[in-house]
Amino acid sequence: GFTSWSSMREPCQVFTLLETIYNSFDEIARRRRVFKVETIGDCYVAVCGLPDPRKENHVVMARFARDCLHKFAVLTRQLEITLGPGTGDLGLRVGLHSGPVTAGVLRGDRARFQLFGDTVNTTARVESTGMRNKIHISHETAELLTGSGKGHWITFREEKVVAKGKGEMQTYFLDLRGESAKSTSSGGSDSCTGPADVDEMESKTIALSRYGRGTSKVADGEQSEMRTISAKQQRLVDWNSEVLARVLREIVARRQASC
């Protein structure tokens, strides 16, 4: 949903969204000891096991992906107040793949550290063929996770995906909900709430009732009026309130300046 969202926003708003999300991902990466390679538009590229080798880097990346997925859902809902309706509806696709790469800096202007090899291409295909708000993994990563005793995280994807230049691929989804807290030796604390809690939060409603003045009883025998507002509608109300408050502040400031 990013393309349609950004087409209706000012460039500075697109920058605010990406900067906020990428900064939060950077914090998670530091905590998980994951190496951020680069950002390409609305794509965030990271790796574990480079430049320093690390055992069970696939487990670390699975937890990193889970944390990013949850953080993204929280931030987009918070940003909807300032960036407008639809921000909270944005989704995130995550693709994980494991394999050998060559790392280096290409000569030339604005040179930067990059990863090269078929593993990078395959990872891009796994991400692009994934699904909204899900962690999509390759067969190679699934085998490594199973070998590390994390087979219960893996869900078999029934239909095979057709990836450009790869043909049919058997892939899987990751579900880390209900995982207990791990020590920092496994890549950091796992105190984050899973995506399931975000969905639960989305389904909650706010009940409003009208009572008589100064009493909990209904005034004049009128039955209490109960209205439910969905979380999405509440975010829309908050955004309109913020816009109105900003306009009023500008009016007050101009009047004070004219006096």
Side-chain angles (χ1 to χ4, degrees), residues 183-236:
S183 64
T184 54
S185 62
S186 298
S189 172
D190 278 340
S191 58
C192 292
T193 309
D197 300 302
V198 177
D199 296 335
E200 181 182 354
M201 179 177 65
E202 174 69 24
S203 64
K204 289 182 178 179
T205 58
I206 303 172
L208 301 177
S209 56
R210 186 172 62 194
Y211 296 101
R213 187 176 299 176
T215 176
S216 61
K217 296 182 179 180
V218 180
D220 300 328
E222 179 186 8
Q223 294 184 352
S224 61
E225 178 186 357
M226 300 293 293
R227 295 190 297 115
T228 58
I229 301 178
S230 69
K232 182 177 180 180
Q233 290 172 324
Q234 183 61 47
R235 296 198 303 271
L236 181 60

Side-chain angles (χ1 to χ4, degrees), residues 11 33 64 76-77 93 97 109 136 142 176 180 191 210 223 257:
R33 290 166 52 202
F64 171 74
T76 51
R77 281 163 174 77
R93 283 196 312 264
H97 178 57
D109 295 337
H136 195 208
L176 279 70
S180 59
S191 58
R210 186 172 62 194
Q223 294 184 352

Side-chain angles (χ1 to χ4, degrees), residues 66-202:
R66 184 271 313 272
D67 291 351
C68 289
L69 198 62
H70 168 66
K71 191 66 175 178
F72 179 87
V74 173
L75 287 175
T76 51
R77 281 163 174 77
Q78 293 175 349
L79 289 170
E80 193 167 52
I81 297 177
T82 55
L83 298 183
T87 306
D89 296 327
L90 290 171
L92 183 70
R93 283 196 312 264
V94 182
L96 298 181
H97 178 57
S98 305
V101 295
T102 295
V105 178
L106 290 176
R107 296 178 182 178
D109 295 337
R110 300 178 184 176
R112 65 184 190 276
F113 183 86
Q114 291 179 278
L115 303 181
F116 305 91
D118 185 63
T119 299
V120 181
N121 299 330
T122 303
T123 305
R125 302 293 181 263
V126 173
E127 179 272 321
S128 61
T129 56
M131 297 180 69
R132 175 188 176 91
N133 296 331
K134 287 191 175 183
I135 304 173
H136 195 208
I137 66 172
S138 66
H139 180 72
E140 289 78 2
T141 302
E143 284 189 331
L144 290 171
L145 288 170
T146 301
S148 298
K150 305 299 182 183
H152 57 283
W153 289 356
I154 301 171
T155 301
F156 183 81
R157 184 171 184 173
E158 295 182 359
E159 71 280 7
K160 291 186 177 181
V161 299
V162 179
K164 181 180 179 181
K166 294 290 179 182
E168 287 191 347
M169 294 175 57
Q170 179 60 64
T171 56
Y172 307 81
F173 290 114
L174 275 187
D175 186 356
L176 279 70
R177 288 178 296 183
E179 182 197 8
S180 59
K182 307 296 180 183
S183 64
T184 54
S185 62
S186 298
S189 172
D190 278 340
S191 58
C192 292
T193 309
D197 300 302
V198 177
D199 296 335
E200 181 182 354
M201 179 177 65
E202 174 69 24

